Amino acid sequence: MVLYTLDADFVMVSDGDTRKLDHLKKKRRKHLTACPIECPELMDLLAKGQLKDSDIRKALFPIANKTRADQMPNENREG
Protein backbone atom coordinates (compact mmCIF):
# COMPACT_ATOMS: atom_id res chain seq x y z
CA MET A 1 0.00 0.00 0.00
CA VAL A 2 1.35 3.41 -0.96
CA LEU A 3 1.26 5.62 2.11
CA TYR A 4 2.64 8.83 0.67
CA THR A 5 4.60 10.36 -2.19
CA LEU A 6 8.15 11.59 -1.75
CA ASP A 7 8.51 13.20 -5.18
CA ALA A 8 7.56 12.57 -8.80
CA ASP A 9 9.52 9.30 -8.92
CA PHE A 10 9.35 7.80 -5.42
CA VAL A 11 6.67 6.68 -2.95
CA MET A 12 6.77 5.05 0.48
CA VAL A 13 5.02 1.68 0.83
CA SER A 14 4.07 -0.75 3.59
CA ASP A 15 2.26 -4.09 3.66
CA GLY A 16 1.84 -4.29 7.43
CA ASP A 17 3.56 -7.69 7.50
CA THR A 18 7.07 -7.92 6.08
CA ARG A 19 7.32 -4.15 5.61
CA LYS A 20 5.96 -2.50 8.75
CA LEU A 21 5.07 1.13 9.39
CA ASP A 22 8.18 1.75 11.46
CA HIS A 23 10.38 0.69 8.52
CA LEU A 24 8.75 1.83 5.27
CA LYS A 25 10.11 0.92 1.84
CA LYS A 26 11.06 3.59 -0.68
CA LYS A 27 9.99 2.45 -4.16
CA ARG A 28 10.12 3.92 -7.65
CA ARG A 29 6.66 4.45 -9.13
CA LYS A 30 7.66 2.74 -12.37
CA HIS A 31 8.25 -0.53 -10.47
CA LEU A 32 4.71 -0.63 -9.07
CA THR A 33 1.47 -1.79 -10.65
CA ALA A 34 -1.57 0.42 -10.14
CA CYS A 35 -4.52 -1.06 -8.28
CA PRO A 36 -7.85 0.79 -8.67
CA ILE A 37 -8.73 0.41 -4.97
CA GLU A 38 -8.57 3.31 -2.55
CA CYS A 39 -8.75 3.15 1.24
CA PRO A 40 -9.69 6.62 2.49
CA GLU A 41 -10.33 5.29 6.01
CA LEU A 42 -6.68 4.21 6.22
CA MET A 43 -5.51 7.60 4.98
CA ASP A 44 -7.64 9.23 7.71
CA LEU A 45 -5.99 7.01 10.34
CA LEU A 46 -2.54 7.84 8.92
CA ALA A 47 -3.29 11.58 9.11
CA LYS A 48 -4.38 11.20 12.74
CA GLY A 49 -1.29 9.11 13.58
CA GLN A 50 -3.45 6.11 14.52
CA LEU A 51 -2.69 3.77 11.61
CA LYS A 52 -1.47 0.30 12.66
CA ASP A 53 0.13 -2.53 10.72
CA SER A 54 -2.94 -4.66 11.42
CA ASP A 55 -5.15 -2.06 9.67
CA ILE A 56 -3.04 -2.34 6.53
CA ARG A 57 -3.05 -6.15 6.63
CA LYS A 58 -6.85 -6.19 6.95
CA ALA A 59 -7.23 -3.83 4.00
CA LEU A 60 -4.82 -5.79 1.78
CA PHE A 61 -6.09 -9.29 2.66
CA PRO A 62 -9.03 -9.41 0.19
CA ILE A 63 -6.90 -7.90 -2.58
CA ALA A 64 -4.09 -10.42 -2.07
CA ASN A 65 -6.50 -13.36 -1.96
CA LYS A 66 -8.25 -12.26 -5.16
CA THR A 67 -4.90 -11.91 -6.94
CA ARG A 68 -3.83 -15.41 -5.84
CA ALA A 69 -7.15 -16.90 -6.97
CA ASP A 70 -6.82 -15.24 -10.38
CA GLN A 71 -3.33 -16.69 -10.83
CA MET A 72 -4.26 -20.29 -9.94
CA PRO A 73 -4.90 -22.70 -12.80
CA ASN A 74 -8.50 -23.71 -13.34
CA GLU A 75 -8.79 -27.35 -12.23
CA ASN A 76 -12.29 -27.78 -13.65
CA ARG A 77 -11.19 -27.02 -17.20
CA GLU A 78 -11.80 -29.69 -19.82
CA GLY A 79 -9.12 -30.70 -22.17
Side-chain angles (χ1 to χ4, degrees):
M1 176 177 146
V2 174
L3 294 176
Y4 57 90
T5 302
L6 291 177
D7 58 31
D9 294 327
F10 291 97
V11 295
M12 298 300 283
V13 299
S14 173
D15 67 1
D17 188 25
T18 57
R19 186 56 68 172
K20 301 208 183 257
L21 288 169
D22 59 351
H23 193 71
L24 299 174
K25 175 76 173 179
K26 183 178 176 182
K27 291 288 288 182
R28 284 193 182 270
R29 287 177 185 257
K30 69 179 182 178
H31 295 168
L32 300 175
T33 302
C35 180
I37 298 171
E38 295 183 9
C39 299
E41 62 278 356
L42 293 183
M43 291 295 107
D44 291 341
L45 289 173
L46 179 64
K48 294 177 186 175
Q50 298 174 345
L51 184 63
K52 297 181 275 184
D53 292 315
S54 60
D55 297 326
I56 295 173
R57 286 192 305 268
K58 287 177 192 173
L60 293 177
F61 184 78
I63 299 166
N65 285 339
K66 181 182 180 332
T67 302
R68 285 188 198 116
D70 291 345
Q71 293 174 351
M72 295 181 82
N74 187 354
E75 295 176 7
N76 297 329
R77 192 174 22 183
E78 293 181 26

